[in-house]
Amino acid sequence: MEPFISNPNHKQPERFELGSWSLLIPELSVGFTGRSGGVGEAPYDGLNLAYHVGDNPAHVLENRRLLAEELGFAPESWTCGEQVHGTNIAVVRAGDAGRGYQSQQDAFQQTDGLITDVPGVLLTSFYADCVPLYFVDPVQRVVGLAHAGWKGTVAGMATAMVSRMEQEFGSRPANIHVAIGPSIGECCYEVDEKVMAQARLALPEEGDTTEPAWCSPSVHEGKTMLNLKELNRIIMIKAGILPTHIECTTWCTSCHPEFFFSYRKQNGVTGRMASWIGMKER
Ligand SMILES: [Zn+2]
């Protein structure tokens, strides 16, 4: 069953929420935005949430404010990283809340992963096909969010997040729950051999399997359909996450332009959805 669900009672700004995780921490809010319900104009219509794509910054700020308030967070608690397709992770302390909210310049630089144990902080990151990875440790009350395109995935972003939660907060992998959010699916994500060679290195012991579970042949010569969600799922299990603690979406952002911005579908000029996770203050 699809874990990211659009609630008909609160449609705007459009969002798909992972409501089942409120069983883990009642104050938890976690999900992924759609493209409608914001103030942006074409080609960023309407709920673009990222500054770096060329949209009017005032529209982006207004969209962020709208979303934070709908979610029950102070807009000034919106916190994000620069996102460079790397594996750097920042631990967000109370004094860091709001970094990146009003401009890209004070976001955590060269950072694709964020972790916090501070209630009231809203962690966010931005997408138009890449894979959002969500983490929660209900025992230590820690949440995390990571942006993983193919580069971050094969560089081991998922494993790095689990390790950092262990180091910083004493999280045990067996207690961590993970979700893999809306992103481009195997149906639409055709890659060349250069990407596939890197992907095989991410799971070296499975490298000689002729047909791994995370890809399938393309109709085009020399190309492969890559399943980044499944690749991340397998990497998470190797990092010690229990298979029963992993939620994986069925949403493909490229198949649904009515709901999502897609970098590939819209030839690179488009808005960005946001993933978010945070614990509301009690
Ligand atoms: Zn698709």
Side-chain angles (χ1 to χ4, degrees), residues 26-212:
E27 301 85 2
L28 197 63
S29 176
V30 47
F32 193 78
T33 61
R35 65 179 297 173
S36 77
V39 299
E41 292 162 8
Y44 310 106
D45 48 317
L47 190 62
N48 169 44
L49 290 160
Y51 289 120
H52 68 277
V53 294
D55 193 2
N56 179 339
H59 290 171
V60 177
L61 187 62
E62 174 61 6
N63 286 343
R64 290 180 173 191
R65 190 193 63 76
L66 278 170
L67 179 66
E69 289 194 344
E70 278 295 315
L71 297 178
F73 286 82
E76 302 75 30
S77 72
W78 180 292
T79 307
C80 52
E82 185 193 14
Q83 294 183 205
V84 290
H85 297 278
T87 55
N88 285 340
I89 297 163
V91 174
V92 179
R93 313 289 182 189
D96 296 317
R99 285 187 62 176
Y101 173 57
Q102 301 214 29
S103 82
Q104 174 97 338
Q105 279 69 45
D106 72 333
F108 286 91
Q109 298 299 294
Q110 301 195 11
T111 296
D112 287 76
L114 300 166
I115 299 172
T116 194
D117 65 344
V118 182
V121 169
L122 185 63
L123 303 181
T124 62
S125 51
F126 312 105
Y127 301 83
D129 290 340
C130 289
V131 186
L133 304 175
Y134 305 79
F135 301 80
V136 60
D137 172 0
V139 178
Q140 302 296 86
R141 295 181 64 91
V142 177
V143 297
L145 187 61
H147 164 256
W150 77 263
K151 286 182 184 168
T153 299
V154 305
M157 180 47 123
T159 309
M161 287 290 287
V162 173
S163 302
R164 195 68 186 275
M165 288 174 73
E166 283 185 87
Q167 285 164 17
E168 294 280 342
F169 297 103
S171 294
R172 294 178 51 204
N175 292 335
I176 297 174
H177 290 246
V178 169
I180 299 166
S183 42
I184 196 164
E186 185 175 2
C187 40
C188 296
Y189 194 44
E190 183 180 70
V191 300
D192 59 19
E193 190 46 39
K194 187 188 101 187
V195 173
M196 282 302 293
Q198 298 284 317
R200 285 187 205 100
L201 290 176
L203 294 169
E205 62 275 37
E206 297 186 359
D208 24 345
T209 314
T210 44
E211 280 187 5

Side-chain angles (χ1 to χ4, degrees), residues 1-8 10 15-20 251:
M1 204 179 76
E2 172 56 50
F4 286 82
I5 296 167
S6 174
N7 184 332
H10 31 83
R15 56 201 188 272
F16 300 81
E17 302 204 37
L18 182 57
S20 62
W251 286 113

